[in-house]
Amino acid sequence: MSHDVVKTEPIEGQKPGTSGLRKKTRVFMEPHYLENYVQAIFDGTGGVAGKTLVVGGDGRYFNDRAIQVILRMAAAGGAARCIVGQRGLLSTPAASNLIRKRAADGGLILSASHNPGGPDADFGLKYNGPNGGPASEGVTAKIFEHTKTISEYTILSAHDVDLGSLGESTLGEMTVEIVDPVADYAALMEQLFDFDAIAKLFAGGFTMCFDAMHAVTGPYATAILEDRLGAAKGSVRNGMPSPDFGGGHPDPNPIWAKELMDTMYGPDAPDFGAASDGDGDRNMIVGRGAYVTPSDSLALLAAQAHLAPGYKDGLAGVARSMPTSGAVDRVAESLGIDCYETPTGWKFFGNLLDAGKVTLCGEESAGTGSDHVREKDGLWAVLLWLNILAATGKSVKDLMAELWEAHGRCYYSRHDYEDVEADKAGAMIDRLRGMLADLPGQAFAGLAVEWADEFAYDDPVDHSRSEGQGLRIGFAGGGRAVFRLSGTGTVGATIRLYLESLETDPGKLQLDPEEMLAPINAAALAISDLKAMTGRDKPDVIT
Ligand code: VG1
Ligand code: CO
């Protein structure tokens, strides 16, 4: 077998965003595009000679072809071993677990997460380091530098590897090991949670609906919830991964998981509902007639995690991304533990988890996780919820009502303005940034601004500083609005407007979030002049 050295040129715009590089699938399929990025990852991480890598993806269109390219390039680069999920499948948290369990040097995960899949949709590739977590900002910067100077890549000429059969084979000098994508992950979950108690709950007639959204979590959820824990057959819905996710957006929120929402608010609603995203790292939780915002879910899990065996000694601390609501802060305060506020993106939790400063962390975008891996983990969150439901015997609705009575309720909503012309979105943010210092003391739409700033984060572990992480405006009465641009979109710009307001009046804990947040939304729109600056008069998605 020969190693081909292929001459290439830098390709514009290979800057990784919040979670790896995401582009239209057809862009990834252009000559040299994928190869350039893979070579830049290898070079930006010190080469792959002698290394062990974990490789797998969410099963979307081009997943299998891209894996063959990655394997041939890893072999050409001298990698010792690639551990690959059978049929090319690995959920993001399962890949993180495998990297850690097998002490691999890193991993390549093929996914554009919640973005739709297919030849005319999106594809993505991310690199995770030896701790199993997303590459730090320092590493992604190095990878990006290499994309700008690349002149050649190396690839082995070889036949495709059979991704379907478990076991080892060789590709050039490299060992390819095909593993069951579910087995190690299921074993880890069994260590953390009281499987007997959850099985008893199901045996007692407890019902649930898990919507895998035609994405990678299907096989994991079926194996664990139905086969191991005894949830009724059919509890897992849309459980076969499909290259285009059944034509939908595998984004677990009330908009894209509407089918599940209808079930949970319908006449025959089961006790518990959940959904997960394309690559299995996000989760949506919904009780019978009771949607739980991700920020509230994080707070509830923090308050009750000690009920699960893996967390019985309590939590070292918790962390949330900045736009996530302050609900978990209030729980942390009552538990007497630290709560850290980080920029958006899981990579910022890695140092805190590695240093043992936090046990649980989460984001408003439906990501929750713990120190068991270094990624957010959708099915983990579902199992922790089930463990808590089994241990308390209470319903989701009652657990949430008790949480709000104890700590107040953080009404919360995210408004996404999608596919805005990039220069208009940028101009709006720039203008707002320029106004921040003058906002305090002024009133907009009848609401006084108390403080405003641009969020920056000083990592308490490696002392790196990350600037430009979102514009924040605090209002009289404790409400908050945050503006930031998405780093995961593939067309135009997405403006995210995050709205939050704390309510402690016991008589106002069960009201409509959009109504409660309307004054803050009006003030945020007045300040930013969003409608005039972008030509948009309403958000595309409200979650
Ligand atoms: C979004 C979410 C962010 C999340 C990121 C990756 O980023 O807001 O919280 O970490 O997606 O999640 P952005 O930059 O578009 O707001 V996933 O499930 O796509 O790996
Ligand atoms: Co995801």
Side-chain angles (χ1 to χ4, degrees), residues 135-492:
S136 67
E137 289 216 306
V139 171
T140 49
K142 277 192 195 143
I143 293 171
F144 181 46
E145 282 310 309
H146 280 276
T147 68
K148 294 192 286 190
T149 53
I150 190 165
S151 60
E152 60 184 41
Y153 60 83
T154 55
I155 187 162
L156 198 74
S157 320
H159 290 299
D160 280 358
V161 174
D162 172 10
L163 300 177
S165 322
L166 296 175
E168 293 189 358
S169 61
T170 53
L171 184 63
E173 316 255 290
M174 182 179 83
T175 303
V176 178
E177 179 185 347
I178 308 290
V179 298
D180 176 342
V182 178
D184 292 286
Y185 179 83
L188 176 63
M189 293 301 116
E190 197 157 5
Q191 280 169 26
L192 297 174
F193 302 117
D194 188 345
F195 271 31
D196 290 342
I198 302 173
K200 241 186 226 146
L201 182 72
F202 283 123
F206 182 91
T207 52
M208 90 170 277
C209 178
F210 182 94
D211 191 340
M213 303 190 82
H214 305 276
V216 77
T217 325
Y220 295 84
T222 307
I224 295 173
L225 298 174
E226 293 186 7
D227 301 347
R228 299 279 268 271
L229 294 169
K233 290 275 169 239
S235 297
V236 176
R237 193 187 261 185
N238 301 321
M240 280 293 281
S242 99
D244 71 345
F245 306 120
H249 283 234
D251 197 350
N253 63 42
I255 309 295
W256 295 114
K258 188 174 179 305
E259 194 185 321
L260 176 66
M261 287 298 279
D262 290 346
T263 302
M264 295 309 297
Y265 280 78
D268 304 314
D271 295 300
F272 185 59
S276 62
D277 74 334
D279 60 331
D281 58 359
R282 297 193 191 189
N283 70 91
M284 179 175 100
I285 300 295
V286 48
R288 180 182 288 136
Y291 169 70
V292 182
T293 69
S295 296
D296 271 345
S297 176
L298 175 63
L300 189 282
L301 295 183
Q304 309 280 6
H306 61 275
L307 296 173
Y311 308 93
K312 66 177 187 326
D313 298 329
L315 310 175
V318 291
R320 64 165 170 86
S321 67
M322 181 274 285
T324 304
S325 93
V328 72
D329 305 39
R330 301 174 73 79
V331 170
E333 203 183 335
S334 77
L335 293 173
I337 57 174
D338 286 335
C339 178
Y340 295 83
E341 184 177 36
T342 61
T344 294
W346 209 259
K347 61 183 164 212
F348 294 101
F349 295 133
N351 282 345
L352 297 170
L353 292 164
D354 285 348
K357 288 181 181 295
V358 306
T359 312
L360 238 63
C361 37
E363 298 192 276
E364 52 65 41
S365 53
T368 5
S370 87
D371 58 359
H372 69 292
V373 289
R374 290 295 179 275
E375 284 279 4
K376 47 192 186 268
D377 188 345
L379 198 48
W380 168 89
V382 173
L383 290 165
L384 180 50
W385 263 97
L386 284 169
N387 198 141
I388 293 166
L389 292 166
T392 60
K394 292 176 181 164
S395 70
V396 173
K397 206 177 222 160
D398 291 346
L399 285 170
M400 292 318 298
E402 286 173 17
L403 184 83
W404 296 335
E405 276 154 31
H407 303 283
R409 177 173 179 184
C410 288
Y411 282 99
Y412 191 86
S413 182
R414 187 177 93 181
H415 292 191
D416 292 333
Y417 296 81
E418 295 179 343
D419 198 6
V420 176
E421 286 165 59
D423 49 347
K424 290 187 178 170
M428 192 210 87
I429 293 287
D430 289 344
R431 175 179 167 276
L432 185 56
R433 182 180 291 118
M435 292 167 60
L436 288 178
D438 298 326
L439 290 178
Q442 295 189 54
F444 296 85
L447 210 52
V449 175
E450 281 191 346
W451 59 273
D453 69 2
E454 178 159 31
F455 182 61
Y457 178 63
D458 291 301
D459 188 305
V461 181
D462 68 13
H463 305 294
S464 60
R465 183 172 172 83
S466 305
E467 296 183 330
Q469 299 294 334
L471 307 177
R472 313 192 282 185
I473 306 164
F475 296 97
R480 185 183 77 157
V482 174
F483 285 93
R484 64 176 280 282
L485 296 178
S486 157
T488 58
T490 57
V491 271

Side-chain angles (χ1 to χ4, degrees), residues 54 93-106 129-133 188 350 353-354 370-375:
V54 168
S96 181
N97 179 46
L98 267 181
I99 294 170
R100 296 166 66 78
K101 188 163 183 180
R102 301 290 305 273
D105 297 286
N131 74 344
L188 176 63
L353 292 164
D354 285 348
S370 87
D371 58 359
H372 69 292
V373 289
R374 290 295 179 275
E375 284 279 4

